[in-house]
Amino acid sequence: QTFLNWECIIVNDGSTDNSLKIIEKYANQDTRFSYFTIPNSGAPKVPRDLAISKAKGEWILPIDADDKVDDNYIEKILSRAKETKADIVFPCVKYFKNELKGTHVHILPIKSFDKDSVIAGKDAVVFTIFDVKIGTNGGLINRSLWQFLSLFSTKVNFLRADECDMRELLINANRVAFTDSVYYYRQHVDAVTKRTSVKSFEYLIADSILEKLFIDHFEENSAQVKLIRKHRVLGIISRKILWLRTFHQFNSQERKYIRNLMNEYSKEIKLKNYFDFSVLKKISYFAILQYKISS
C-alpha cells in the first residue's frame, strides 16, 4: 500500500489448509501484522468482531480474505474521509470471478450514482436494500460508530449478520461519502453465501432484524419501512422456492431446523401490511414460474 501507517489484524477462522503458515510468515516479517486463531465460526461476523475489538486505529477497513484492493486503496479512501469529514466512505466495488483480468460481472455504485456526493447515513442505507445502488464491501468506517451496534461481539453466527451490522452503522452515520478507490470482490461458487446449506435459510433471521432496525429508526409507515418489508417478503418467497428445490439433500434434523426457521419468520408477516394483494399475486405467480423453470 502507498499509505504505510496501518495495522492488519488477521483472524484465522478455522482454516484447514496452509493459511496459518502464510499468516505466521507475514507476522514474523512485519510488525504491522497480528493474528488470532479461532474455531470455524460459520459466518463472517464472528472473526470480524474479534478483529475490530483488537484494533487500535481511528478507522476500520474490513477486507475479506479472498478479495483484492488497489495499491493506493487505503491512501485514497482515507484522503476522501478527511476531505469530506465523512463517518463512512465506500469504494468502487468491482465484482469478479476467478481472475481479475476480463469482464467484471458487476460494479457498484451503479453508473448513474453521483460518486462525488456526500449524503446522510439514513439516505445511504436505502440504496443498499432491494434495488441495490451502492456496494457495502470494504467501506472505511470510523471506529466510533461501533458503539451503536446492538449485535457487536454477541457471537451470533447466522448468515448475513455482518450485513445487519453494516446497515446499523450506516443509519448512525452522519455523513457517507464515496471514492473511485477500487475494492475487488471475488465471487465464486464455493463461498459460504453461494452454497446451498442450512445456513442459506438464515437469511430469514437477518431480514427480520433489518425490518426491526428500520422500524426503530424510521416512521412505521415510511417509505423506508415499506421498502424493507417488500425486501423481506421476497426473501421469504425465495427461501421457500429454495426449500422446494433442495429439501431432499438435507437430513431429518436439518429439515426440522429449516422448517422451524421458515415457520417462525413467516408467522411474523402480515401480508396485507406488506403488499396490496394484486402485487402479491403477481409476485407469487412469478415465484411459481421461476420454480418451474429451475426444476
Side-chain angles (χ1 to χ4, degrees):
Q1 288 292 309
T2 53
F3 180 84
L4 301 177
N5 187 23
W6 47 262
E7 64 169 342
C8 178
I9 302 172
I10 305 171
V11 179
N12 176 34
D13 188 15
S15 65
T16 56
D17 53 13
N18 65 335
S19 290
L20 184 57
K21 289 183 179 179
I22 298 172
I23 293 168
E24 289 173 338
K25 173 187 173 184
Y26 280 93
N28 290 333
Q29 291 176 350
D30 191 330
T31 57
R32 292 175 298 181
F33 288 91
S34 60
Y35 68 92
F36 300 88
T37 294
I38 61 173
N40 182 256
S41 65
K45 176 176 167 54
V46 175
R48 182 169 293 188
D49 281 0
L50 173 60
I52 292 165
S53 71
K54 303 295 183 181
K56 303 180 185 71
E58 179 186 0
W59 297 95
I60 303 294
L61 189 63
I63 300 177
D64 288 343
D66 55 347
D67 298 339
K68 295 178 179 289
V69 295
D70 283 339
D71 292 345
N72 61 0
Y73 183 69
I74 299 176
E75 181 181 6
K76 291 185 74 171
I77 202 168
L78 186 59
S79 174
R80 182 67 172 153
K82 292 178 178 178
E83 172 194 341
T84 60
K85 295 181 172 57
D87 302 305
I88 298 176
V89 181
F90 285 127
C92 173
V93 183
K94 295 187 176 182
Y95 299 80
F96 71 100
K97 294 181 179 179
N98 301 322
E99 298 299 325
L100 278 176
K101 296 178 181 178
T103 306
H104 297 289
V105 285
H106 196 42
I107 298 177
L108 290 173
I110 59 173
K111 192 174 182 180
S112 60
F113 190 86
D114 181 8
K115 299 179 192 64
D116 294 326
S117 62
V118 179
I119 61 179
K122 283 188 175 182
D123 293 331
V125 74
V126 175
F127 295 131
T128 71
I129 301 291
F130 198 68
D131 183 18
V132 178
K133 292 181 174 61
I134 63 176
T136 57
N137 306 94
L140 180 72
I141 306 160
N142 193 288
R143 186 177 174 178
S144 63
L145 288 178
W146 258 268
Q147 65 181 301
F148 298 108
L149 285 189
S150 52
L151 292 178
F152 183 60
S153 291
T154 53
K155 301 290 190 299
V156 297
N157 68 344
F158 60 85
L159 207 60
R160 288 180 62 223
D162 57 319
E163 294 183 27
C164 294
D165 284 351
M166 190 68 241
R167 274 35 177 241
E168 193 166 10
L169 289 167
L170 274 171
I171 285 174
N172 286 288
N174 290 319
R175 296 164 67 84
V176 177
F178 306 87
T179 176
D180 60 359
S181 183
V182 181
Y183 183 98
Y184 299 95
Y185 181 89
R186 188 190 305 270
Q187 293 183 314
H188 55 80
V189 294
D190 293 329
V192 66
T193 54
K194 300 297 181 184
R195 295 195 305 267
T196 300
S197 68
V198 168
K199 300 197 75 65
S200 303
F201 296 86
E202 293 178 350
Y203 277 53
L204 300 174
I205 305 174
D207 285 348
S208 176
I209 289 174
L210 283 177
E211 182 187 356
K212 290 179 175 66
L213 179 66
F214 271 55
I215 290 172
D216 286 344
H217 290 275
F218 299 99
E219 293 182 10
E220 174 72 27
N221 294 316
S222 65
Q224 294 92 338
V225 170
K226 289 178 180 177
L227 183 70
I228 195 65
R229 283 176 168 170
K230 183 178 180 181
H231 167 83
R232 190 176 173 197
V233 170
L234 292 177
I236 288 173
I237 291 172
S238 71
R239 293 308 102 178
K240 289 193 174 185
I241 293 172
L242 182 63
W243 170 248
L244 289 171
R245 291 173 53 194
T246 63
F247 71 91
H248 57 275
Q249 75 181 46
F250 300 106
N251 61 41
S252 58
Q253 187 174 357
E254 290 170 334
R255 290 182 186 182
K256 182 178 179 181
Y257 174 72
I258 293 168
R259 285 196 195 97
N260 287 339
L261 268 182
M262 291 197 296
N263 289 336
E264 179 181 355
Y265 291 100
S266 295
K267 282 178 182 176
E268 294 180 359
I269 298 291
K270 295 179 181 177
L271 291 176
K272 65 180 181 181
N273 293 335
Y274 287 69
F275 285 107
D276 65 62
F277 283 101
S278 61
V279 174
L280 183 63
K281 188 175 180 181
K282 290 178 183 178
I283 292 172
S284 299
Y285 175 77
F286 174 76
I288 293 168
L289 182 64
Q290 289 295 101
Y291 170 65
K292 287 182 176 179
I293 291 171
S294 58
S295 296

